[in-house]
Every structure is written in structure tokens, then in C-alpha cells.
Amino acid sequence: MQDVDPAWLPDGASRPIGTRRTLIRGTGPLVDTVRGEVEKACRRFGGAVVQDDPDLVLELTGDDGSEAFTYGRRDSRTTVTASGGAGLLYGLFHVVRLGESAFLGEAEREEHRPELALRMLDHWDNVAVHPVMGQVERGYSGGSLFWEDGRARGDLDRVRAYGRLLAACGINAVAVNNVNVHAAEARLLTDRLREVADIAGALRPYGIRTHLSVTFAAPVVLGGLETADPLDAGVREWWAEAVARVYSEIPDFGGFVVKADSEGQPGPFAYGRSHADGANMLAAALAPHGGTVHWRAFVYNHRQDWRDRSTDRARAAYDHFVPLDGEFADNAVLQVKHGPMDFQVREPVSPLIGAMPGTRLAVELQVTQEYTGQQRHVCWLGPMWSEVLRFGIAGETPVGALARGGLVAVSNVGDDPFWTGHPLAQANLYTFGRLAWEPGADPHRVLDEWIRLTFGDGPAAGVRAVLTGSWRTYEKYTAPLGVGFMVQPGHHYGPSVDGYEYSPWGTYHFADRDGVGVDRSVASGTGYAGQYAKPWDEVYESPDSCPDELLLFFHHVSYGHLLKSGKTVIQHIYDTHFEGVEEVAAAAEVWASLVDLVEPARHARVTERFVEQLRSAREWRDQVNSYFFRKSGVPDERGRTLY
Amino acid sequence: MQDVDPAWLPDGASRPIGTRRTLIRGTGPLVDTVRGEVEKACRRFGGAVVQDDPDLVLELTGDDGSEAFTYGRRDSRTTVTASGGAGLLYGLFHVVRLGESAFLGEAEREEHRPELALRMLDHWDNVAVHPVMGQVERGYSGGSLFWEDGRARGDLDRVRAYGRLLAACGINAVAVNNVNVHAAEARLLTDRLREVADIAGALRPYGIRTHLSVTFAAPVVLGGLETADPLDAGVREWWAEAVARVYSEIPDFGGFVVKADSEGQPGPFAYGRSHADGANMLAAALAPHGGTVHWRAFVYNHRQDWRDRSTDRARAAYDHFVPLDGEFADNAVLQVKHGPMDFQVREPVSPLIGAMPGTRLAVELQVTQEYTGQQRHVCWLGPMWSEVLRFGIAGETPVGALARGGLVAVSNVGDDPFWTGHPLAQANLYTFGRLAWEPGADPHRVLDEWIRLTFGDGPAAGVRAVLTGSWRTYEKYTAPLGVGFMVQPGHHYGPSVDGYEYSPWGTYHFADRDGVGVDRSVASGTGYAGQYAKPWDEVYESPDSCPDELLLFFHHVSYGHLLKSGKTVIQHIYDTHFEGVEEVAAAAEVWASLVDLVEPARHARVTERFVEQLRSAREWRDQVNSYFFRKSGVPDERGRTLY
């Protein structure tokens, strides 16, 4: 394995355990993993795995598959017990996170148990390099950990190291290929299954189940059948046999991820069948083996006519799926993007969450920073995700709705030596894992945890200052007030205010000389606001009650419209864009001041990224401000330069 | 050779000769070509090559390399004489063009002589498929005739057929690779020279000399030298040796085409040398062998800051090159794009033409329709080119300035069965050749000639109706009033009004809520208008005298500005865009009416292209109109729908 960044598991993180005497009780593959971790730490720091007089006891008491563990400390002895191997492993990493404090004082026994059973990363990795999308679709961290130029990587050490990092933040499921399933990738289900099994073998010791994205058209493109109709007996039989073969190679296989009838992918609509029909057919094939189908709700018309203001992409997932509530099988999970559009820096929470009580839902976040700076910009997304997870909708939070489904995110990891391109983007991956374990956690506490593990205490205050407000900073210098999509078409990096304005993608801002924004009210707009349960339908319906940060998502208002902040919309645009750039410059200065406190290669990489972030932020500022100045004719109150 | 369209040399075109008795006098390779043409026609139609009692005499009287011929008819005998082989070949094709009328009545002997010695096509063909630009940069006709996936095509039959078509419209030079010279292409100069020699061998029988685009950095990238400094003795020696090797393989090699210090290509600026230094160094290497260097004047700052309104890309060629007038070697030709920007549907004539009396100039046109519909739209460019060639500047027409340089065009041909993707785009290639021969020719006469040769008389009126106004139609529904560049970035197809507005490419329209256009006056703008000789500097300086069709190229005016047509700018935009679409629809109907008069495959291909053209024209109309309606707030006088 090439020399890679240790991320949140640097040598030093294992010192507290590695200097101590640890007793390990129990057997099984995950206990072996735990023992290996402890032995390695002891070799490094002089401690030992012992049979008596331990400082630390790690004990597996059963074999029930539980991920929970109990932790406590009494009489100078720290004890972790678990009734399942994964629980013991999570308990070990809990001790790692606690560091020296795990071996100080006393601690009441307390149980730790993940609130969500499924904590999953989806890799949009292609096996064959896609002519447009490359090796990793929306990947900003080099190549894929799994695939290279059409083949599986021979060396799985990096995959094992990845699994270890994921276990240390609580992730327990990985889908190893892109939801857009092209020709080479389709065959992972059949004649290339061995390559998936090898990856599953590398991830299994870390409590991670492997999933596969499959094409709905597999019976046709792989099986040579004439149809992929989910109600066709031959099709169902083909899938049953395909699934049986998968489980014969990968007994703990997690299941399928499916993007169907979405952006050109095939799906049940071609056969006049519903998405419940499609998902349940795959669920039926997986059920005998304990597998799950993740069925994505990202279904909308991507060939929309921009002239048609009555069609609203934001409505699509709700309109398609809410009528199907109660029809999905028990082992089918409907995977819903957190917002109604597509991972913009600011969106409302999807109204579908909370509107399907009879369906297992998973929320999909995007750790890879497609629209949030592509890992060239610092943009720690913890606060955004936390807002989503804590949002109250239909009498419950998304967390409640997700208890039976889970939390899923698109991974931001590649074969880059820093894993995530931008070293500080590791914080997003870590935060996702920890929020998936405990969705109500304070994200800033998670951030501090990540900083201390990754950097130690020296630069902690500086790193925190750089990261803590970075999402709001990014929001300030990009698309304003929730309006979204002002990025360059295709690659989605950098500003293009009208880039999607006349496109078929359903992503418009409707700016004219008088105002800007999308009227999604029931009274005069697309009616999207009416998809929300109370009180949000009413809150969003009127520009008077709609929160400022979502105003242009829900309403078309004049440039002179007064925000709750007391500023006009146009002055808000100017002010936030100037502020955003100033905040980036300030963050870059803070980072520069850490030069003696941060490992040199890591410091240099971040410094280099800040140069680009600052250039890009200025470009965003000037293009957005000039665009709205040219349209509105309103000068900046403070007389700053507009072009 | 696959089954390809005969273009303007269908079987029927050789019938008048093929049914007659032809006497051929003289020897040499081009006489062999002439004899082969006549014999083939006779085999098809029953005539004969004879020694006595001929209907047609084709006689080579010398070997002076002349391209001229004399044509006459007396006593029922048609006679062509020439003192050079190429002249005899051109004389033969003159007879082909005349058809049956060449064998009727009497005709005074008259001499035909090309007005421009160099009539050249530049192929922007890549040897290796470029990851972004593909096999042919800005190619819309399939692959390359010369190269395929990194290799020369083995079969040269298609190249020979191409040479024959070119000879039949008067072209005598071809550059076989892209002016952007990448790694594989660079080696055509050295170890892959044999591949160029093979192509030259296929084109030579048609009087066509082969040219090569080379990289200025060749001494470094191919020769391993540490510099490409044009004044370095080692560099000059390296080029001299490279050129000598070329001529040992290709004795009639035409010379080099060079894009230097342009859009990232290397050049003399890197060594603090002038472009005259650079060109003359290559000229010196070529001179002993009779070769020419074509040095492109397309030098500008493509990393411009859009915020900076004082920099004007339109000024660049003049500013760079006029100070060098008189410094270029006799066998160096400065190759100037016809307009100051980049082949837009409407540009003024480059002020550089006429401003360099001490320099051999060639004007570069673009037959490939990069910005004019990419061979999905009908857009016959003859009238535009003719306007350029007949434009009076500095006391002479461009034709005068070009007499020692020539006319060059970027080819629109590929391995498509119709040669040019859109069958009607053949008219552009043919028209270019004929205008290069006779720049003052009426382009509509040339069009009729092409129609009669290609289609015969049946559908002629319909084809003429489709083509004759197609350039102005295209102009109507795309960027208005000379403003240019409202295309989608990168591929340049379809509308994106702001697509280049905030880019580094120097291509802006500066539209705001009050008006649009670029102020290039001396009084208040970039001063570009002052680069023109009288009277054009004064004509362009004021919006009152500036022609409507170039108004926004030279001036920023309000939407209410009254054009000479009596319309406001904004109403002109609306009207022309509605008209343009209507004209496309009408042309499509005319074409449909020709279904029984046009060869079915050709008719079907054009019909298919019209579907796309109409869709695209509507998209242009609605995006441009909506853009300006949203900015100006001015409704259409006629109440038509604006979005």
C-alpha cells in the first residue's frame, strides 16, 4: 500500500490502549480484528494483551449480531462488553476516541447502541472509466479504491484500511459501484461477482456488509431475456437465481441499490409497472437470504421544457412515491435525497420524509462535495446534515422516520493519499458516520472529536475556526437564499448563474429585471409548499413566514423585497457575497498560522486548496453580484465594485 | 472504399465527355490523371480516347508548373491547352462543369488562371483521438479521412477520391493535421513522416501539395534540445535537418502550418522573440526546398479577466502583427482569420488585412461550421465569404492583399458517407474552392453550378431556395447584430446567451437591463474601430454610421436605440428570431417537396437534419428572446410569446 494519510486513526490515537494491559475475551472474526488492533497498538507502544490484571477488558458475551456495547470504568479497570462482534469492535473504537480519559477516574456503565441500523456509504465508482464521468462519478479524490481501468484493483490493503476507518466512525455498509450502472458494472452481478466477493472479504472484518448497484434491465442485458418486467415470472426467476449465486459467494451480502427510471436509467415504467412493483420484485429475490433492496426515490423528468413553469422537479419524488406508501416489501428501503432537488448548499427537507409512515425510508446525503466545492473548497457539512436530521416534520423528526431505514451517503473517498483530496474533507466523512450512529448528536462536538483524533490538541482551535462555519461561508458566496443551481453545467464546479436556466433539468431561478426566485406556493405557484405537513405548509406558503434562507426556493420576489434580516434581497446578495470571500480569506490566514502545528504534507495540501478556493470564491462573488447588478440596476449601498 | 456520396462528381457529370471522342496530348503524372478520368468516363458512356477526329482535345504544351489553361471551341471541336499538368487537369474539370454546353456552338479561346496561387484546406484532424476534441477538432462529419485511433488509415482510396473532388473545385493544398499539435501528431514530422508521405502520394495526382502542422516546440519535444529559441543555432540546424528529411520523402511538400503562442500552444514569446523571428526561422529551413511556412495570426490573451473592459480580443491580431510588417521572409505567409474574433456568423473584416502591405497574407475561412450550425443546420456561407473578399479596405480588396498569400479554410470533411455530415454542407466546400480560384465570383453563380453538378436540373430551384438565404436565416435566429458568442461553452452548439459572458475568452456582450453591445469606438471604447483605414474607422466609430448588422460589435446601445431599419434594437431581436424560425420551417417544407427529385438516402439525411435544425432554431429563438425580455422588460410589439 502506498503511503497514505492516517486520517482519524494516527498512531498516536492507539497510544492510550497500546501502553496498557488488555484482556480480550471471546472468539470470532471480529474479535480477531479487535485483538489485531490491540496487539498492533501494544507492539508500537509497549503494552500487552494479557490474561490477568488488565487495565482494559474487551469482552464478547454472545453471538447475537448486535452492534451495541456497554462501556464503564471501575476500580481502575475499563470494561467494554458486547453481545455481538461488531459491538465489541465499536466499543474498542469508543475507547480510542476517549483516549487517555478512558483510563482515568470512574465511569458508570452505559450502553451505546446505534440509533439507525443501516449506516451506509454509496460509492459512485465506475469499473470502466466513463468517457464523461471518469473512474468515479462526482469523485474529487483521485481514482477508485475498488476499481481501476475496467478491473478490480489487485491490492486490497487500501480497502482494508478504508474499512478500518469506517468502522472507527460507525459505518456498517458500503455499496461498491455507481448507481448509474454501465455495461462493465452490470456484470459485477454475474460473471464478475468474484471481484465483489473479494472486496466483501476485505470489508467483513470491520463489520461492513457489501452492497451492489444493479441495473433494472439486468435480465435483458445480462440474462438475454426479452423483458425486465417485474411481474414476469421468467424475470423473477432470473433475479432469484442471480441473487442465490451472489449469496453463495458472499453469505453476508447486504443487497442491491437501484436507480430506476431516473436520468436515463431503465425502470419499471417501461413495462407499465409501479416502482413498488419494481422494488418488491427485487426484495422478493433478496428476502430468503436476508438482503435488502435500496430503491432510490430520485425520479423526475430530466427532459423538462424550461418554458413550462407548471412542472416542478421539486414535487417529483413526493408525487411519484407517496401514493405507493404501504406497498413496499419489508426488506425494501426507499432511499430519499435529503432535499427535493439535488444536494444543493441549501434546500428544504424533502416533504416525502414523514409522509410515508408505511414505508422504510433511508435519507441520502452527499458527502462527496459535488455542489459544495468539490473538495477544493473547505465546506464542512455537519451543521447542514444536522439541521436535516433534527427537522420536525409531520410530528416526527427524520430520525424517527429513518429508524427502520437508515442513513446513506455518497462517499467522498478515492485513492488520493489523503483519502478525500482535501484533507479537511475527511471531517465530512467522519461526521457522517457519527451522525448516522447518533443523528441527534451535536455536530460541533463530533467535529471536535475528529479534530482531536486527527490533529491532536495543538492546532485544534485553529482547525475548528477554519471548519466550523465553512458551510455557511460557502453558502454566502454561492447561490443565494436557497435558489440553488448557479453552477457550471456538467461538471458543476464554479459559477454560471444562467448555466441551468434554459436547460431541460428543471433547475431554474427565473431572474428577470424585477426579481428572482421560484414560486412554489399553493396559491400562485407550483403547489410544492402544499406537500408539507403542518405547520410547514403554512410557513413556506407565504414569503412573510418563509425563512430567509429558503425564500427564493419558495417564492419569486422583487429585488427590493425586505428580508427578516431587514435587508433587501439585492443588498443581501451583495453583502453575503462580499462577506463570503472575506471569510475564506480569513480562514486561509488562520490555516497559514498553523504551519508549525500541522504535519507538513497535510498543511501544504490544504494551503494549495485555499489558493483555489479563494480564487473561485472571488469568481463566484463577482459573477453573482455582476449578474444581479446588471439585471436589477441597483447599486451596492456600500459602493463596492460591481462589474 | 465504402459506398460514398459522389458529391459534385456524380456519374452523370462525366457523361458529356464520356460519350465523345477525346484526344489527349502530352505526358506526365497529371496527364495520366486526366487520361484516367476520360477513359473511365468513356468506359461508362461509350466514348473513346482517340488519335484523330476528336470532339475534345486536351493538350499539355509544356512543363512550367502553371495552373492556367485556355479553353475554346471551333469547328465542332472543343480544345483545352495548358502549359502545366495542373492546368490541364483544371481544364478538364472546366469541361465537366460546362457539361453538354461544352460541345455546343462556338467559344472564343479564353485563358483561365487562378487569381490566388494558394488555395488551401487545413484539416484539424488529430492522429490520436483527443479526449475532449475527438478525432477531428470541430469536425462534424465523422472521423478523419487520414487518421484513425492513433494510426494512419491503411486504405487511401478515400483520400484519392477526396483529392479528385478538391481538384474539381480548384483546391491545390491540404494540411493533414490539426494546428493544435499534440504528442502523436508532433511525430508526423520525424519518425512518422512515412504516413504523411503516403497521403501526399495519394493527393499528388490531383495537383495537391501536402502540408503539415508542426509544433513550435518540436526541437524540444522531438529533438531533445533544451530550447526552441528561433535564434539558437542548434534549433535552426535541427529544423533544417528535419525539413531536409521531409523533402527527401516528399519532394513537393508544401510546408508548415504553425499555431504559436495561441491558446496554449508554444511559441517564440517564451524566448523573448518576435513572431517574425519564429516564422522566419522556419521559413529559412523551408526556403532551400521551395516550401512555405503558414504562420497563424490567431494570437490573443485567452486568459483574460472578464472584469477588465479595456482589453479587447478583437484588437489582438492587429496589435501583435502590424508592427512586424516587412519583417517576414518571402516564403512566410501570415494566415489571418477573416474576422477579428473567431468565425462568428457575423464579424467585420479583420483590419489587419490591408494593413500589412509588406507581408504575404492568407485569409483563413472556416468551412467547418463550428459556430454556424455544425452541419446540423443548413448554412451556406458563400455570401459571407464573398462579402469578406469583396470588402474594400485601405484602398484595396482583401483579394489584392491575398494575391501573394492565398485563401485557406478549415475543412468540413470527414469519413461520413456524405463527406460533410449534412449533404448540403458540400456546397460550402465547393464554394470555397471556387472562390479561392476566383474571389470576385458571384457566389450565387457558384451555388447554381454546384447544384446543377450535384443534383441535376430537376430539384435545382428547390435546392437553391433552401440554400441561398440560409446564412442570413441562421444569423437571424442566433446572436444578433454582430454581437457574437452566445453559444454553449466548449462544444459551441446551441444557445447560451451568457455562456461566455464571465469567461476568460474575451468574448462578451455586456448585456444589462438597459442595453447591450461592446463599445469598440476610439472615443469611449477599446479603440478597435481605429485600427481600420479610412473610411471604415469613421464608419464604425459612430453608432449613427455603423451598419446595423455590426452595431453591437462596435457599440453598446440601449434596447430602445433606433436602427437604420427603423426598428428598435429590442424589437429587431424579437422580429429576427421569430422570422429565422419561420424561414427554417419554410425551407424544411421546400426540402420535403423535393422528395421525388432527390436521391432517397440524401433526401432522408437532409430531412433528418432539418428536424434538428428546427428544434435548435426554436431553442435559439426562445432563449435569446427570453433573455432579452427578462433583462429589458420590453414586451414584443406584436404580442408573441416570450418566456
Side-chain angles (χ1 to χ4, degrees), chain A residues 235-247 253 256 278-293 329 331:
Chain A
V235 169
R236 299 175 73 87
E237 192 180 332
W238 187 90
W239 277 109
E241 287 173 8
V243 168
R245 281 194 306 273
V246 172
Y247 278 90
F253 181 70
F256 296 143
N280 291 346
M281 180 263 294
L282 294 174
L286 288 159
H289 310 278
T292 304
V293 58
N331 64 326

Side-chain angles (χ1 to χ4, degrees), chain A residues 3-324:
Chain A
D3 197 29
V4 297
D5 191 75
W8 49 87
L9 291 178
D11 264 10
S14 61
R15 174 191 294 270
I17 291 174
T19 52
R20 287 183 167 82
R21 297 167 56 83
T22 300
L23 172 62
I24 302 172
R25 288 208 183 99
T27 57
L30 271 73
V31 176
D32 293 342
T33 303
V34 168
R35 183 174 291 110
E37 287 287 326
V38 174
E39 285 174 348
K40 187 173 156 215
C42 291
R43 280 197 301 274
R44 173 81 176 80
F45 292 105
V49 174
V50 297
Q51 293 304 321
D52 51 25
D53 198 21
D55 304 305
L56 171 64
V57 177
L58 301 170
E59 180 172 15
L60 180 65
T61 61
D63 185 21
D64 64 3
S66 167
E67 299 186 313
F69 62 90
T70 61
Y71 170 88
R73 179 168 169 86
R74 237 180 96 180
D75 301 335
S76 299
R77 180 169 298 170
T78 302
T79 303
V80 172
T81 57
S83 59
L88 195 70
L89 184 64
Y90 292 132
L92 170 73
F93 285 119
H94 181 72
V95 176
V96 170
R97 281 193 297 274
L98 290 173
E100 281 299 328
S101 66
F103 300 97
L104 297 174
E106 302 262 308
E108 286 297 308
R109 287 186 72 81
E110 58 183 13
E111 187 183 50
H112 295 258
R113 179 182 294 277
E115 287 185 50
L116 307 184
L118 185 97
R119 307 176 301 279
M120 181 171 185
L121 284 174
D122 283 359
H123 278 259
W124 288 355
D125 296 15
N126 296 316
V127 176
V129 175
H130 187 275
V132 176
M133 291 302 179
Q135 185 76 69
V136 181
E137 181 162 335
R138 310 306 180 188
Y140 313 105
S141 309
S144 164
L145 294 180
F146 307 124
W147 318 104
E148 184 174 25
D149 278 341
R151 302 181 313 279
R153 282 180 180 277
D155 180 3
L156 291 170
D157 285 351
R158 190 77 192 265
V159 176
R160 283 184 202 98
Y162 182 49
R164 179 170 175 259
L165 285 172
L166 296 189
C169 67
I171 288 162
N172 68 353
V174 165
V176 297
N177 66 304
N178 189 0
V179 291
N180 292 314
V181 180
H182 311 292
E185 294 74 16
R187 293 170 48 209
L188 295 176
L189 177 64
T190 51
D191 58 308
R192 300 188 63 168
L193 181 58
R194 188 66 238 163
E195 300 168 41
V196 183
D198 289 342
I199 295 168
L203 294 174
R204 188 173 294 118
Y206 300 99
I208 295 168
R209 290 173 79 177
T210 295
H211 296 62
L212 200 56
S213 295
V214 296
T215 172
F216 192 79
V220 176
V221 299
L222 298 171
L225 304 192
E226 291 186 356
T227 178
D229 181 348
L231 301 192
D232 180 89
V235 169
R236 299 175 73 87
E237 192 180 332
W238 187 90
W239 277 109
E241 287 173 8
V243 168
R245 281 194 306 273
V246 172
Y247 278 90
S248 72
E249 292 264 357
I250 311 170
D252 62 345
F253 181 70
F256 296 143
V257 180
V258 186
K259 176 177 181 178
D261 289 321
S262 173
E263 297 181 337
Q265 295 293 309
F269 285 166
Y271 307 99
R273 309 303 184 188
S274 79
H275 275 239
D277 292 333
N280 291 346
M281 180 263 294
L282 294 174
L286 288 159
H289 310 278
T292 304
V293 58
H294 290 258
W295 191 267
R296 293 178 88 232
F298 189 51
V299 178
Y300 70 100
N301 175 10
H302 71 293
R303 294 271 175 265
Q304 184 174 334
D305 188 339
W306 59 268
R307 301 164 188 81
D308 165 23
R309 296 204 187 187
S310 66
T311 301
D312 183 0
R313 169 170 164 177
R315 293 185 56 111
Y318 185 103
D319 286 344
H320 279 296
F321 286 96
V322 169
L324 302 177

Side-chain angles (χ1 to χ4, degrees), chain A residues 316-625:
Chain A
Y318 185 103
D319 286 344
H320 279 296
F321 286 96
V322 169
L324 302 177
D325 188 36
E327 295 184 18
F328 287 92
D330 283 347
N331 64 326
V333 167
L334 189 64
Q335 188 164 315
V336 185
K337 292 192 182 196
H338 68 81
M341 297 297 281
D342 191 21
F343 301 133
Q344 300 303 290
V345 68
R346 177 73 70 172
E347 295 188 35
V349 174
S350 171
L352 197 151
I353 302 165
M356 298 187 70
T359 306
R360 292 177 64 190
L361 289 189
V363 158
E364 183 178 304
L365 309 174
Q366 195 182 40
V367 180
T368 193
Q369 292 171 236
E370 177 177 359
Y371 296 98
T372 50
Q374 302 198 352
Q375 282 128 261
R376 303 197 216 175
H377 296 227
V378 184
C379 186
W380 174 58
L381 295 164
M384 177 169 90
W385 298 334
S386 184
E387 283 188 18
V388 171
L389 293 167
R390 299 200 225 186
F391 184 77
I393 189 167
E396 64 177 349
T397 63
V399 177
L402 304 186
R404 297 191 304 127
L407 198 62
V408 179
V410 185
S411 175
N412 65 347
V413 166
D415 71 349
D416 174 76
F418 291 97
W419 298 94
T420 53
H422 199 309
L424 299 181
Q426 293 174 4
N428 283 326
L429 185 61
Y430 184 87
T431 303
F432 166 72
R434 299 290 286 144
L435 288 180
W437 182 282
E438 184 190 357
D442 175 0
H444 295 277
R445 178 178 64 69
V446 174
L447 178 64
D448 282 342
E449 193 178 280
W450 175 79
I451 291 172
R452 210 193 52 250
L453 283 169
T454 306
F455 291 90
D457 291 330
V463 176
R464 186 183 307 114
V466 164
L467 281 163
T468 194
S470 57
W471 165 54
R472 286 180 187 274
T473 296
Y474 186 84
E475 181 183 26
K476 281 184 176 182
Y477 62 77
T478 58
L481 296 165
V483 77
F485 283 98
M486 291 183 167
V487 291
Q488 300 230 11
H491 57 66
H492 297 166
Y493 185 76
S496 179
V497 180
D498 269 2
Y500 277 94
E501 191 58 14
Y502 303 94
S503 81
W505 294 97
T507 50
Y508 316 115
H509 54 64
F510 301 123
D512 61 21
R513 75 196 321 256
D514 301 314
V516 57
V518 188
D519 185 353
R520 292 189 161 106
S521 70
V522 175
S524 55
T526 68
Y528 168 78
Q531 289 187 340
Y532 285 87
K534 290 201 182 334
W536 296 106
D537 56 346
E538 291 169 8
V539 169
Y540 293 143
E541 175 68 15
S542 160
D544 298 329
S545 49
C546 182
D548 281 354
E549 69 269 17
L550 289 171
L551 182 65
L552 301 185
F553 192 91
F554 284 100
H555 297 282
H556 187 92
V557 300
S558 73
Y559 294 118
H561 177 93
L562 270 187
L563 296 170
K564 293 177 179 52
S565 68
K567 287 183 182 175
T568 61
V569 166
I570 188 71
Q571 192 59 40
H572 172 92
I573 291 174
Y574 297 152
D575 286 349
T576 50
H577 283 78
F578 283 109
E579 285 164 22
V581 173
E582 287 159 15
E583 288 170 15
V584 174
E589 279 187 31
V590 170
W591 183 259
S593 74
L594 306 179
V595 62
D596 296 329
L597 301 173
V598 173
E599 191 272 317
R602 195 186 275 166
H603 192 273
R605 174 72 77 93
V606 173
T607 299
E608 159 214 314
R609 302 270 154 152
F610 260 125
V611 172
E612 165 56 17
Q613 182 178 4
L614 194 52
R615 182 207 64 76
S616 177
R618 288 183 175 130
E619 197 61 29
W620 271 100
R621 174 193 68 191
D622 291 342
Q623 286 200 32
V624 171
N625 282 349

